C-alpha cells in the first residue's frame, strides 16, 4: 500500500519533470504566442501569426477547453478567439524567462458562451510573481462598456530576479458560479523601453519607471491610421487612430510626410515606434489667429488613483529650424512642458524624438479623465503659432497592482440594448450590435465612452456659447494628393474643403441658414428624408452646401441629431460625404454638408426604366471603387465598425469631379421607432438591396452592406433599378435576375446597351464574379470591402490595358458637364415602379434617406 503510493508519486514526478523540460526546451527568449485551449497543436490568425497550444505551460487547477458558441463578425479568424480555456479553480502558468529582462504579457479575452459557461458569471483575478494585473475582472462587462467583441490587455512586466514567470488565474470567491478564462497569452521579451520621467506639477521629482510594471492604456498613431502588430517595429504593438479621442470642435488638421522625406532615427532605436507613426501628425491649422484661440485636446478615460506615464512621439518633417514652431503641453490642465520645440529636441527635420511625463491622477478629479492639450507658445516669439504631435502612448504604472474596476456601460449603451431586445440573441452575452462593433480591442479603449463624454460636454455648454465651435476637417483630402499637409499652407483641393480649412465650417446661426436657403424656399428642396427636407444653399463666398433640416414632427429627435454630428464629425474620408457644420437654435436643427454637384449615382445610370447613362465603363468602375473605399473605411477605419445598413445607388453621391462619396451613414445606429409606421423597424434598409440573411436572422453584420453593394454593382452594369415591378416576374428583382443570367451565361444580354461592346471581356468577367460573390447567401462567403476594392481595381486595370491609347472617355467626359442637379423633375410623378418597395425611387434626392417610412 505504502509502496504503491510511492511508486505513483515517483511516476507523477517523472511526468512533471518531462513536461517541464519539454516546456523549457523552447528556450527562454523566444516569443510565446499561445492560444488557450487550442486543441490540435497550432494555427495562424488573420495576421498570419502562429499560435501554439498552451497546455504544456499549465500546472495545477481544473481547466477545460471549449470552442466558442458564436463567432462575432469582427473576429477575422478563428484563432485565437474561438477557443478558450476555462478555469474553475486557481490555475498557474509557468513561463521560462530570462532574468533581468522586461517582457510584454498580453492577455486576450473573448467573452462568449463556452459550453455551459456564461461569461456574465465570470469574475476573476490574474496575478504574476509580483503584481496583480486584474481583479474582480469581468471581460463581459468590459467588452460591453467598450462596445467591443474582445479585448486585449497588454502589460510590460518589470525584470524579474527569476527564470520563471508565473501567471495565476483565479476565479473570484465572491460569486458562486465564477470562473476564469482566457483565449490567448503572449509572453514576449522586449527591450528596455522605459527610463525615468518627470512628474507633472512636481518639476523637481521624477519617477524611475525602469523597475515598475506598466499597463498599456492607449497607443495612438496621431493623425494617421491603424498600424497592425505586424507593421510595428518588431514589438507587435497595435497603434490606433486618434480621432475618437479628440475633444471639442477644433481638432486641427492631419499631415503626412512627403515621399522624399525619410524618417532618420539617428541614434534613437527603431523599436521606439515605427516610421508610419512618425510620418503622420496632427497640427493646429494654417490660421494663426484661430490657433491662438484654442487648445488641441485629447481626452482619455482612465482609472483614478494611479500614476500614468504619458509618452509623446514627435517628428517634424516640414520645418527644419529651431523656433519655427514652439508650443506648450498640458496634462490635466497642468503644464507638463513649456516651450516644446521639436526641431530643437530632435536635431533636425525628419528626425523623430519622444518625451515622457508622469501624471498622478487622484480620485474625484476630472471625471476620471486624462486630458492632453497643446497650445502655441508665444514666449520665444516663434515664426508660426502652431503645435504638432505624431503619437501618444499612455501607460498605467505601479509596482504591485494594475487592477482597476470594471468600466460601467454608459446609459446610452444600455438604452440601445434595451431597444434592441426585439432581436433574438442566440448567444447570451453577445450584444446585438447595430453600428458599433469593434474590430480591434486595444488595451482598454473606450470609443463609445469618448462619444458620450463629448456629447455630454456639448450639451452642457450649448446655450449661448457659440464662441468657438468651428468644425475643422479631420481627415483632409486624398492622402496621395499631397493636399493633406497644412503645415505647408498649401491650400486644400476643392473649394469647400479650403473654406473649412479657413475656419468656415462651424456652428451656423439660424439666420445664416435662412439666408443660405432663401428662408427655406421650396424651390431649393433637393430631397426629402425621414429627418426632414434637404435644401441646397449657398453660404459665404458662394460655397454650395446641402442643408438637412429636421422636420419638427420627425420622430428623429435631438438624440439622433447629436449622434449624427458626433459620428460624422469624426468620420472624414475622401469617399464619405463631409459634414461642414450644424445649426441648433429655436428648436430648429440643421446639418450642413458638402454639396454634391452631380447628385446621385442612380440618376446617372437610368431614369425610370431607361438607361440614360453616358458614363463609360472605366468611369463606372472608378465610382464603384470610390464607394467601396468609403464603405471599407466605415467598416474598418477605426477600431470600431460602422455598418451603413442602407447601401444603394441613391446613397452614393458624386461631386463635380465624379468622385464617389457615400452618404447617410449617420443615423444607422438604432432605428427610430416609427410608431405610426406599420412595419417593424427592426430590419432597416431598402427592399431590393436587403441582405436575405439579415432578413432571415435579423443579425446585422458588415457583410449585409457587402450584399447591398453587390446589388449596386449589378445596377451599374445593367443600368436598371434594383426592383422593377413592370418586368416579368423572374426579372423584377435585379439581384435574382442578374445571378440567374450570370449562371446561365447570358449576363451579356442584360448589360446596359450603352456599354455593349465597350467592356473588355476579362474586366467584365472579373466584375461580374465579384458582384456574384457579394450576393452569396451566406455572409461568410461574401468578400470583405477590402477584397472588393482589390477586385474592382483589377477589373479597372484590365479595362485600362485594353483602352490604352483609345481616349474616347475624355470626349465623353465633356458631355457630362451639362448634367446638373437641377434635373430633379424625373422624381415626381413618373414613378414607374412601386415606391413602396424601393424607397430610393421617390427622389433622385441627395440624402434621401428614410424616404418612405411605410416602405420599411
Ligand atoms: C527586427 O528584428 C530583426 C531580427 O531580430 C532585425 O534584423 C531588424 O532590424 C529589426 N527591425 C527593426 C525595425 O527593429
Ligand atoms: C520633394 O521632391 C520634389 C522634387 O523631387 C521637390 O520639388 C520638393 O520640394 C521636395 N519636397 C520637400 C519637402 O523637400
Ligand atoms: C481641465 O479643464 C477643463 C475645462 O477647463 C475641464 O473640463 C476639465 O475637467 C479639466 N481637467 C482636469 C483633469 O482638471
Ligand atoms: C488651454 O489649456 C490650458 C490648461 O488647461 C488653459 O489654461 C488654457 O486656458 C487653455 N487655452 C485655451 C485657449 O483654451
Ligand atoms: C500602486 O497603487 C496603489 C493603489 O492604487 C497605490 O496605493 C500605490 O501608491 C501605488 N504605488 C505606486 C508606486 O504608485
Ligand atoms: C466586481 O465587479 C462588479 C461589476 O463591476 C461590481 O458590481 C462588484 O461590486 C465588484 N465586486 C467587488 C468585490 O469588487
Ligand atoms: C427567440 O428565442 C426564443 C427561445 O430562444 C424562442 O422561443 C422564440 O421563438 C424566439 N423568437 C423569435 C422572434 O425568433
Amino acid at each position: 500500500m505504502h509502496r504503491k503510493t510511492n511508486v505513483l508519486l515517483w511516476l507523477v514526478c517523472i511526468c512533471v519533470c518531462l513536461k517541464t523540460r519539454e516546456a523549457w526546451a523552447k528556450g527562454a527568449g523566444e516569443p510565446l504566442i499561445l492560444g488557450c485551449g487550442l486543441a490540435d497543436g497550432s494555427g495562424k490568425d488573420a495576421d498570419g501569426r502562429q499560435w501554439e497550444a498552451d497546455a504544456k505551460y499549465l500546472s495545477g487547477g481544473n481547466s477545460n477547453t471549449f470552442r466558442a458558441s458564436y463567432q462575432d463578425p469582427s473576429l477575422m479568424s478563428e484563432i485565437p478567439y474561438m477557443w478558450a480555456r476555462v478555469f474553475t479553480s486557481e490555475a498557474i502558468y509557468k513561463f521560462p524567462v530570462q532574468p533581468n529582462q522586461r517582457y510584454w504579457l498580453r492577455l486576450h479575452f473573448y467573452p462568449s458562451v463556452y459550453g455551459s459557461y456564461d461569461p456574465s458569471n465570470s469574475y476573476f483575478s490574474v496575478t504574476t510573481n509580483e503584481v496583480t494585473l486584474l481583479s474582480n475582472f469581468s471581460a463581459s462587462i468590459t467588452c460591453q462598456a467598450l462596445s467591443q467583441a474582445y479585448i486585449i490587455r497588454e502589460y510590460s512586466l518589470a525584470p524579474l530576479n527569476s527564470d520563471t514567470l508565473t501567471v495565476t488565474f483565479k476565479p473570484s470567491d465572491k460569486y458562486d458560479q465564477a470562473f476564469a478564462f482566457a483565449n490567448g497569452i503572449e509572453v514576449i521579451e522586449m527591450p528596455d523601453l522605459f527610463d525615468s520621467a518627470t512628474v507633472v506639477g512636481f518639476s523637481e521629482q521624477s519617477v524611475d519607471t525602469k523597475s515598475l510594471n506598466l499597463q498599456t492604456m492607449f497607443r495612438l498613431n496621431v493623425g494617421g491610421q491603424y498600424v497592425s502588430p505586424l507593421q510595428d517595429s518588431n514589438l507587435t504593438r497595435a497603434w490606433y487612430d486618434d480621432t475618437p479621442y479628440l475633444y471639442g470642435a477644433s481638432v486641427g488638421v492631419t499631415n503626412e510626410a512627403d515621399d522624399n522625406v525619410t524618417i532618420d532615427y539617428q541614434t534613437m532605436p527603431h523599436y521606439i515606434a515605427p516610421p508610419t507613426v512618425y510620418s503622420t501628425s496632427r497640427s493646429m491649422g494654417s490660421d494663426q489667429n484661430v490657433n491662438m484661440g484654442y487648445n488641441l485636446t485629447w481626452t482619455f478615460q482612465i482609472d483614478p488613483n494611479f500614476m500614468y506615464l504619458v509618452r509623446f512621439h514627435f517628428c517634424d518633417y516640414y520645418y527644419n529650424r529651431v523656433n519655427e514652431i514652439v508650443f506648450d503641453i498640458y496634462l490635466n490642465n497642468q503644464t507638463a512642458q513649456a516651450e516644446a520645440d521639436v526641431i530643437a529636441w530632435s536635431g533636425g527635420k525628419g528626425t523623430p524624438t519622444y518625451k515622457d511625463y508622469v501624471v498622478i491622477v487622484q480620485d474625484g478629479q476630472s471625471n476620471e479623465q486624462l486630458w492632453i492639450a497643446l497650445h502655441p507658445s508665444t514666449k520665444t516669439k516663434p515664426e508660426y503659432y502652431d503645435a504638432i504631435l505624431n503619437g501618444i502612448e499612455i501607460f498605467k504604472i505601479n509596482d504591485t497592482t494594475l487592477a482597476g474596476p470594471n468600466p460601467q456601460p454608459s446609459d446610452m449603451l444600455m438604452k440601445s440594448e434595451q431597444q434592441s431586445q426585439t432581436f433574438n440573441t442566440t448567444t447570451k452575452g453577445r450584444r446585438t450590435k447595430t453600428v458599433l462593433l469593434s474590430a480591434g480591442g486595444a488595451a482598454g479603449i473606450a470609443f463609445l465612452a469618448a462619444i458620450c463624454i463629448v456629447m455630454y460636454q456639448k450639451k452642457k455648454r450649448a446655450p449661448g456659447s457659440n464662441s468657438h465651435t468651428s468644425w475643422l476637417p479631420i481627415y483632409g483630402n486624398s492622402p496621395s494628393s499631397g493636399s493633406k499637409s497644412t503645415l505647408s499652407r498649401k491650400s486644400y483641393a476643392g473649394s469647400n474643403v479650403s473654406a473649412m480649412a479657413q475656419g468656415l465650417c462651424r456652428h451656423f446661426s439660424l439666420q445664416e441658414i435662412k439666408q443660405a436657403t432663401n428662408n427655406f424656399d421650396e424651390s431649393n428642396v433637393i430631397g426629402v428624408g425621414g429627418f426632414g427636407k434637404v435644401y441646397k444653399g449657398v453660404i459665404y463666398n458662394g460655397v454650395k452646401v446641402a442643408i438637412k433640416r429636421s422636420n419638427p414632427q420627425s420622430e428623429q429627435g435631438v438624440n439622433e441629431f447629436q449622434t449624427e454630428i458626433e459620428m460624422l464629425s469624426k468620420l472624414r474620408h475622401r469617399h464619405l460625404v463631409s459634414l461642414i457644420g450644424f445649426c441648433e437654435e429655436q428648436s430648429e436643427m440643421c446639418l450642413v454638408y458638402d454639396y454634391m454637384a452631380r447628385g446621385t449615382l442612380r440618376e446617372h445610370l437610368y431614369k425610370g426604366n431607361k438607361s440614360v447613362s453616358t458614363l463609360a465603363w472605366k468611369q463606372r468602375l472608378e465610382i464603384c471603387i470610390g464607394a467601396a473605399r468609403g464603405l471599407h473605411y466605415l467598416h474598418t477605419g477605426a477600431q470600431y465598425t460602422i455598418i451603413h445598413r442602407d447601401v444603394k445607388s441613391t446613397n452614393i453621391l458624386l461631386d463635380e469631379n465624379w468622385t464617389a462619396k457615400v452618404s447617410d451613414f449617420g443615423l444607422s445606429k438604432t432605428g427610430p421607432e416609427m410608431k405610426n409606421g406599420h412595419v417593424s423597424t427592426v430590419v432597416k434598409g431598402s427592399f431590393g438591396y436587403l441582405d436575405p440573411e439579415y432578413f432571415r436572422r435579423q443579425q446585422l453584420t458588415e457583410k449585409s452592406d457587402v450584399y447591398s453593394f453587390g446589388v449596386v454593382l449589378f445596377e451599374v452594369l445593367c443600368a436598371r433599378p434594383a426592383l422593377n415591378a413592370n418586368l416579368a416576374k423572374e426579372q423584377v428583382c435585379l439581384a435574382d435576375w442578374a445571378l440567374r443570367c450570370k449562371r446561365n451565361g447570358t449576363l451579356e444580354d442584360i448589360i446596359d446597351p450603352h456599354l455593349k461592346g465597350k467592356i473588355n471581356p476579362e474586366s467584365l468577367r472579373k466584375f461580374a464574379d465579384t458582384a456574384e460573390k457579394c450576393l452569396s447567401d451566406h455572409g461568410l462567403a461574401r468578400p470583405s470591402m477590402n477584397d472588393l476594392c482589390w477586385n474592382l481595381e483589377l477589373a479597372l486595370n484590365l479595362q485600362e490595358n485594353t483602352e490604352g491609347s483609345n481616349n474616347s472617355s475624355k470626349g465623353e467626359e465633356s458631355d457630362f458637364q451639362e448634367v446638373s442637379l437641377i434635373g430633379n423633375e424625373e422624381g415626381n410623378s413618373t414613378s414607374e415602379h412601386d415606391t413602396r418597395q424601393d424607397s430610393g425611387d421617390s427622389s433622385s434626392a441627395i440624402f434621401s434617406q428614410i424616404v418612405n417610412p411605410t416602405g420599411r
Side-chain angles (χ1 to χ4, degrees), residues 496-755:
N496 295 342
V497 181
S498 78
M500 284 194 277
Q502 287 151 26
L504 269 184
C505 60
R506 52 185 209 110
H507 181 202
F508 290 90
S509 71
L510 185 56
Q511 184 55 33
E512 285 167 318
I513 298 282
K514 281 186 171 163
Q515 225 157 29
T517 57
N518 199 5
N519 203 10
F520 297 114
D521 194 291
E522 287 296 307
S523 68
N524 286 330
V525 173
I526 51 175
V528 182
F531 186 85
K533 286 180 177 161
V534 183
Y535 297 80
K536 146 177 97 166
V538 178
I539 50 175
Y540 348 80
N541 308 348
V543 174
K544 282 191 184 162
V545 293
I547 298 175
K548 241 192 210 177
R549 180 196 194 186
S550 104
N551 175 352
Q553 277 99 52
S554 159
E555 297 268 346
Q556 286 171 335
V558 182
N559 276 345
E560 277 77 14
F561 179 74
Q562 300 210 337
T563 308
E564 180 148 12
I565 292 179
E566 287 313 322
M567 293 198 41
L568 296 194
S569 63
K570 303 243 142 109
L571 290 167
R572 296 282 164 174
H573 190 269
R574 177 174 157 79
H575 295 290
L576 299 181
V577 170
S578 312
L579 181 70
I580 295 176
F582 68 98
C583 165
E584 191 175 11
E585 207 173 304
Q586 299 168 16
S587 76
E588 280 281 357
M589 293 183 290
C590 299
L591 295 171
V592 182
Y593 297 87
D594 246 352
Y595 179 74
M596 293 291 116
R598 293 187 192 275
T600 67
L601 169 59
R602 181 197 184 106
E603 72 198 77
H604 294 288
L605 293 174
Y606 51 87
K607 294 214 163 91
N609 298 330
K610 250 182 59 211
S611 159
V612 295
S613 195
T614 42
L615 289 174
W617 180 237
K618 192 172 150 232
Q619 219 168 356
R620 295 187 199 195
L621 285 173
E622 279 163 355
I623 290 169
C624 292
I625 291 169
R629 288 203 182 126
L631 288 169
H632 174 59
Y633 177 79
L634 282 183
H635 289 174
T636 62
Q639 73 269 31
Y640 50 93
T641 297
I642 293 172
I643 299 172
H644 188 297
R645 297 178 85 183
D646 202 7
V647 175
K648 55 186 178 186
S649 55
T650 43
N651 277 341
I652 297 172
L653 307 182
L654 301 167
D655 74 3
E656 69 277 10
N657 301 318
W658 297 96
T659 306
K661 304 201 183 216
V662 177
S663 79
D664 267 351
F665 37 89
L667 295 175
S668 34
K669 207 181 158 299
T670 50
E673 289 186 278
M674 295 176 202
K675 281 183 241 123
N676 47 353
H678 57 272
V679 178
S680 134
T681 54
V682 171
V683 174
K684 181 182 184 297
S686 300
F687 287 93
Y689 295 93
L690 258 184
D691 168 13
E693 192 176 46
Y694 170 36
F695 202 78
R696 268 197 315 272
R697 298 174 46 198
Q698 315 208 331
Q699 280 176 13
L700 189 67
T701 74
E702 63 265 43
K703 293 296 178 67
S704 304
D705 284 351
V706 173
Y707 182 92
S708 309
F709 194 73
V711 178
V712 172
L713 291 180
F714 276 123
E715 233 181 311
V716 165
L717 181 65
C718 307
R720 58 151 280 189
L723 283 181
N724 184 347
N726 293 344
L727 293 173
K729 197 167 156 225
E730 72 274 14
Q731 301 186 14
V732 169
C733 173
L734 174 61
D736 294 343
W737 179 232
L739 278 186
R740 188 190 301 193
C741 292
K742 168 93 179 32
R743 282 163 194 163
N744 295 341
T746 56
L747 188 62
E748 306 227 3
D749 301 343
I750 64 163
I751 68 174
D752 184 357
H754 288 103
L755 291 174

Side-chain angles (χ1 to χ4, degrees), residues 247 331-334 361 365-371 457 460:
Y247 170 78
L331 276 173
N332 274 355
N333 298 343
Q334 292 179 294
V361 180
Q365 188 186 341
S366 71
N367 291 328
E368 290 149 26
Q369 283 177 50
L370 186 62
W371 286 60
Q457 273 146 353
K460 266 205 313 206

Side-chain angles (χ1 to χ4, degrees), residues 775-843:
L775 299 186
S776 301
D777 244 0
H778 296 286
L780 287 174
R782 296 176 204 149
S784 68
M785 271 294 159
N786 195 32
D787 293 344
L788 252 175
C789 292
W790 256 97
N791 283 310
L792 293 175
E793 272 166 26
L794 203 60
L796 178 62
N797 279 342
L798 291 167
Q799 180 70 14
E800 277 174 339
N801 289 345
T802 46
E803 276 181 20
S805 58
N806 171 8
N807 47 11
S808 67
S809 67
K810 249 192 191 140
E812 279 174 51
E813 196 153 26
S814 54
D815 297 340
F816 304 143
Q817 309 299 339
E818 301 308 315
V819 184
S820 82
L821 246 188
I822 305 158
N824 271 332
E825 304 84 47
E826 93 285 356
N828 298 348
S829 54
T830 50
S831 178
E832 317 73 11
H833 54 279
D834 194 353
T835 34
R836 275 193 61 238
Q837 289 182 309
D838 184 352
S839 56
D841 183 63
S842 59
S843 62

